[in-house]
Amino acid sequence: MFRAVFLLCEGGTGLEDSRAESSELHTAMASLLRKFRTRSLSKGELAILAFFIAQALDAAFTYWGVALHGRDIEGNPLLASLMFSIGEGPALASAKLAAAGCGMILHLTNVHRIVAVLTAFYVCAALLPWMWVFTSVPH
């Protein structure tokens, strides 16, 4: 997708490359869905899938926690600051999309163990504390 932008700078229109990449992306997504249905995902694919699920759950729990308890409940000072600046939804969306993008870069460079470790870290440092907040802190 990014090559189309660079082609435009080099004198091309960028359209000729974006159609080919769109087809490649469609083929890659179809292949991944086929693997998921037949349960033949590799360990790396399972790691990135678990990472994406952890990110989505963290976003949902964070949004829920902030809605119940206010912005001050957020433990990440960078995310809390971003929430005060642009709002909860946009802050969470941008943070989680950035995290997912970084996770995908790690996946595409075949460092799946790091993706798996980051997933475990998110479960321990983000999801479990939110579960504790929801069950222990009165609202």
Side-chain angles (χ1 to χ4, degrees):
M1 281 195 277
F2 296 112
R3 285 192 326 214
V5 174
F6 295 123
L7 281 176
L8 186 59
C9 296
E10 295 170 2
T13 63
L15 296 176
E16 60 276 351
D17 197 45
S18 64
R19 285 188 205 112
E21 287 185 10
S22 176
S23 174
E24 291 171 14
L25 180 63
H26 183 273
T27 304
M29 289 299 293
S31 172
L32 188 60
L33 286 172
R34 220 177 1 265
K35 284 181 163 186
F36 184 74
R37 277 191 230 122
T38 61
R39 291 174 177 70
S40 62
L41 294 172
S42 69
K43 289 179 182 178
E45 291 165 337
L46 286 172
I48 193 67
L49 182 61
F51 182 79
F52 288 156
I53 291 169
Q55 291 299 317
L57 286 172
D58 183 35
F61 288 174
T62 302
Y63 193 81
W64 186 22
V66 169
L68 288 174
H69 302 288
R71 293 176 182 163
D72 293 328
I73 194 84
E74 175 55 45
N76 179 342
L78 293 174
L79 187 55
S81 170
L82 195 58
M83 284 181 183
F84 279 104
S85 299
I86 63 174
E88 294 90 355
L92 281 169
S94 60
K96 293 303 157 186
L97 286 172
C102 291
M104 184 53 91
I105 289 169
L106 291 171
H107 171 68
L108 293 174
T109 55
N110 293 316
V111 285
H112 302 113
R113 286 185 183 171
I114 293 175
V115 175
V117 167
L118 287 171
T119 303
F121 174 77
Y122 264 96
V123 169
C124 294
L127 300 180
L128 292 177
W130 276 122
M131 288 182 208
W132 178 83
V133 166
F134 295 140
T135 58
S136 303
V137 177
H139 47 285

